[in-house]
Amino acid sequence: MYYVLGVLYSFLSVLSASSDYKVFDESGSLVGSFPYKTQLIQKRDIVTPPSRTVIAEDDHTYYKSQVIKNSSAWIEINPQHSQLDKNTLHEGLSAQFRYAYNIPLTFTFPFYGLPLRSITPTTGGFIFVGELIHNQLTATQYIAPLMAEFNPSHSNESKVFYHMTDSFAVVQWDNVHVNSNFSSENGTLNKPFTFQAQLYKNGDVIFAYKDVPYGLQAIDDRTHHVKVGISEAFYEIDVNHGITITYIHEYHKIEIEFENIGSNTEVHLLAEPTCVSAMSCAACSTVQTAFNCTWCPTIQQCSDGMSRWKQNWVDARCNNPGKSVSKKEECPSETVSALPTSTKKGAYEMVLCQESKTAIVCAGDDKLTIVEASFSRMNYMGSACESPRSSTGNTQCAYDNKLVKEKVSESCNDKSKCFIHAAQTFFGSDPCPESDKTLNIYYKCNGSNTGTKALVGFIITLVLIVVMVFVAWVFYAYRNPTTPSGLWLIKYGRFWKSRAYKEDTAESGI
């Protein structure tokens, strides 16, 4: 299954219309403390909750799932019912319809093994976790405790809360109504839902349901997807004749059966080890996982060939014989990178093999700044591009770093995202066409300077208005010499003229 963006959106008009979310960036996160759990005492007897019952479980390779009745996983973050910090309310999501806000995390959350530093909760009962913001948010790359057309703006009692610590985050949809059922004559369909998603530092995800007033099968899905589960995809970027089309291929998803979801139910999605979580060749060759992991020195990634970074894997021909290694003794020696170490601090790194294409993306409204770039025979950690053991071609060949940085900066600086093609033609005359090369880019995502630009624009506009008013006043005073303005202009105009005359005569010695 795949989803197409760009010019192909017109073919998905139904999904597009039903999934049109407005996305905003929001900086900062909140940290609070939870109340200690205590035993419930009644008439000297300990009151224990009903026994937890596993009603469904499955192994989805990337995650193991369990659906449990009589939930004990609920973490209350509504300040009216808990002792948390009172600032857990997200005002933007609580007062809007079809909105999404990007929120930075206080920890790195591995989703399908891919490290995420931010999430994008929506009003629609799900969290978007993709890198490219588009109008297909409900299609894939989501964490959905209950994706539906919820409209928090219907009621003052409908709220969206979020809370973070250094090890987990919670997003809670509280008393939210399904938009199409809000005005229903059926009293049951008018009732609100309360549920939450919990994300943990080890990659585990828990969906907890406090109030589910009716079966999920009764939720109208004609104008909005209705889903419970998670989904991940990879991007494929195609540039033809200056037109960029981004394809989104969904390669894995987990769907939880609707009939298993009810009040006081929880869904556990327990993360399994994946290849992409291994950050070195040694770790890749020893990771205990269900996948056949191999290390590709060209792009410094561990994969089984299927992840969000698949395009880099394919473009670098990592599946070709001799391109990747699976044994620790085959790992290439780690030497000095082609870029100076001083440029790496605080910067992200993008490594592309020759002729590869990719997108560099910053979250929200952050803007790109290219710190350093090189296009050379030397790959990251010193490996040759076309093979970790090849010595073909001039191994010391490189384009001028200044030229490469200028070219990449022209395409990327001050943009939220840019598309890069590591092609010889992009950087001009090739100093060694017989040698495959690697493009190394170091970049930063800086906060948007929109506010500064707006202030400068306001000041300039104000100055222009003042100048125009002054010119208009002088014109009026000149044409109407008997008015107070005209008399003032004559008086001080003569003074300035007389003063200038005296200075001129003094200088000339008259």
Side-chain angles (χ1 to χ4, degrees):
M1 178 180 291
Y2 64 89
Y3 303 89
V4 184
L5 305 181
V7 299
L8 299 188
Y9 276 151
S10 58
F11 296 103
L12 296 173
S13 57
V14 175
L15 282 178
S16 177
S18 65
S19 310
D20 186 14
Y21 277 81
K22 298 179 180 178
V23 182
F24 296 83
D25 182 73
E26 181 172 276
S27 61
S29 56
L30 301 171
V31 178
S33 58
F34 290 95
Y36 290 103
K37 294 182 178 180
T38 58
Q39 292 178 324
L40 302 176
I41 307 298
Q42 183 180 16
K43 295 182 180 179
R44 302 174 64 83
D45 294 327
I46 298 177
V47 178
T48 58
S51 60
R52 301 167 74 247
T53 304
V54 178
I55 61 175
E57 57 184 339
D58 202 350
D59 188 342
H60 305 275
T61 309
Y62 292 93
Y63 292 85
K64 290 183 178 179
S65 67
Q66 288 184 330
V67 183
I68 304 173
K69 279 190 174 180
N70 302 321
S71 170
S72 61
W74 183 265
I75 301 175
E76 185 59 67
I77 63 173
N78 183 337
Q80 294 183 353
H81 308 298
S82 74
Q83 300 176 16
L84 279 175
D85 186 336
K86 299 300 182 182
N87 294 322
T88 58
L89 175 68
H90 194 294
E91 295 183 359
L93 292 174
S94 299
Q96 303 292 344
F97 176 48
R98 286 186 178 175
Y99 266 55
Y101 282 79
N102 184 265
I103 301 174
L105 292 170
T106 54
F107 59 94
T108 299
F109 171 64
F111 183 65
Y112 282 82
L114 182 78
L116 301 182
R117 292 296 301 174
S118 67
I119 56 176
T120 306
T122 72
T123 55
F126 70 99
I127 300 169
F128 179 68
V129 290
E131 296 173 355
L132 298 178
I133 300 300
H134 50 80
N135 66 347
Q136 298 291 316
L137 298 191
T138 62
T140 186
Q141 294 187 311
Y142 56 75
I143 298 172
L146 180 48
M147 180 192 294
E149 194 180 31
F150 291 111
N151 188 350
S153 66
H154 270 320
S155 170
N156 291 332
E157 299 300 318
S158 299
K159 306 292 182 183
V160 179
F161 301 97
Y162 75 101
H163 174 74
M164 294 189 192
T165 71
D166 291 335
S167 59
F168 68 90
V170 183
V171 180
Q172 179 172 320
W173 291 263
D174 202 275
N175 290 314
V176 291
H177 296 264
V178 176
N179 186 59
S180 58
N181 292 344
F182 184 70
S183 58
S184 173
E185 296 180 359
N186 187 325
T188 301
L189 296 182
N190 273 326
K191 294 182 179 180
F193 290 74
T194 298
F195 56 94
Q196 63 183 207
Q198 305 168 13
L199 314 182
Y200 289 85
K201 191 174 184 178
N202 65 351
D204 289 351
V205 178
I206 295 179
F207 301 153
Y209 303 88
K210 185 177 182 180
D211 294 312
V212 180
Y214 52 88
L216 306 190
Q217 298 90 337
I219 300 177
D220 189 356
D221 62 356
R222 290 175 296 179
T223 59
H224 194 288
H225 288 297
V226 179
K227 303 177 183 179
V228 176
I230 60 176
S231 169
E232 176 59 328
F234 65 87
Y235 303 112
E236 180 185 353
I237 301 170
D238 188 21
V239 181
N240 285 318
H241 306 291
I243 299 176
T244 300
I245 301 176
T246 301
Y247 301 84
I248 298 183
H249 299 259
E250 182 182 64
Y251 69 86
H252 191 266
K253 66 179 177 180
I254 298 175
E255 295 178 318
I256 306 300
E257 297 294 334
F258 288 173
E259 56 265 27
N260 291 332
I261 304 301
S263 299
N264 300 317
T265 301
E266 61 192 53
V267 176
H268 288 230
L269 298 174
L270 308 178
E272 294 285 283
T274 63
C275 300
V276 295
S277 60
M279 304 307 292
S280 69
C281 183
C284 183
S285 61
T286 57
V287 62
Q288 300 297 314
T289 179
F291 306 97
N292 295 319
C293 302
T294 58
W295 178 259
C296 186
T298 301
I299 56 175
Q300 292 289 289
Q301 287 178 9
C302 181
S303 179
D304 65 334
M306 186 63 68
S307 73
R308 187 178 296 191
W309 297 328
K310 182 179 179 178
Q311 181 172 7
N312 287 349
W313 189 267
V314 173
D315 289 343
R317 303 185 291 277
C318 295
N319 284 330
N320 291 2
K323 278 290 192 173
S324 57
V325 297
S326 58
K327 298 179 181 180
K328 188 175 182 179
E329 55 268 23
E330 296 177 345
C331 292
S333 59
E334 297 185 349
T335 57
V336 180
S337 168
L339 294 180
T341 57
S342 60
T343 65
K344 298 179 183 178
K345 190 174 182 181
Y348 298 101
E349 182 180 24
M350 178 69 70
V351 181
L352 291 177
C353 189
Q354 185 171 302
E355 301 304 327
S356 296
K357 305 169 187 174
T358 194
I360 303 178
V361 183
C362 286
D365 292 331
D366 286 0
K367 303 300 182 184
L368 286 162
T369 299
I370 302 303
V371 177
E372 194 58 78
S374 69
F375 192 39
S376 69
R377 173 65 174 179
M378 293 179 292
N379 184 51
Y380 179 71
M381 305 306 290
S383 300
C385 185
E386 77 277 7
S387 170
R389 292 174 295 276
S390 173
S391 59
T392 304
N394 182 357
T395 59
Q396 299 301 313
C397 174
Y399 278 79
D400 180 66
N401 283 4
K402 183 178 179 181
L403 171 65
V404 175
K405 181 182 178 181
E406 288 177 354
K407 285 285 188 179
V408 177
S409 297
E410 289 174 3
S411 299
C412 298
N413 275 357
D414 297 323
K415 298 179 181 178
S416 295
K417 65 179 178 180
C418 65
F419 299 95
I420 295 297
H421 185 191
Q424 296 167 303
T425 54
F426 180 71
F427 296 106
S429 179
D430 193 341
C432 47
E434 77 284 357
S435 299
D436 288 338
K437 288 165 282 294
T438 300
L439 176 62
N440 294 63
I441 302 172
Y442 290 91
Y443 66 95
K444 291 184 177 181
C445 290
N446 303 310
S448 174
N449 59 355
T450 303
T452 303
K453 291 181 178 178
L455 178 60
V456 172
F458 173 76
I459 293 175
I460 293 174
T461 303
L462 183 62
V463 170
L464 289 175
I465 292 174
V466 171
V467 171
M468 291 174 64
V469 170
F470 177 75
V471 171
W473 175 82
V474 171
F475 179 78
Y476 169 79
Y478 180 80
R479 296 296 301 271
N480 299 274
T482 59
T483 62
S485 296
L487 294 174
W488 190 93
L489 183 62
I490 292 171
K491 178 181 178 180
Y492 288 96
R494 287 177 176 175
F495 169 76
W496 292 328
K497 184 176 180 180
S498 175
R499 182 176 179 180
Y501 174 76
K502 290 179 180 179
E503 289 178 352
D504 289 343
T505 54
E507 290 177 359
S508 60
I510 298 176

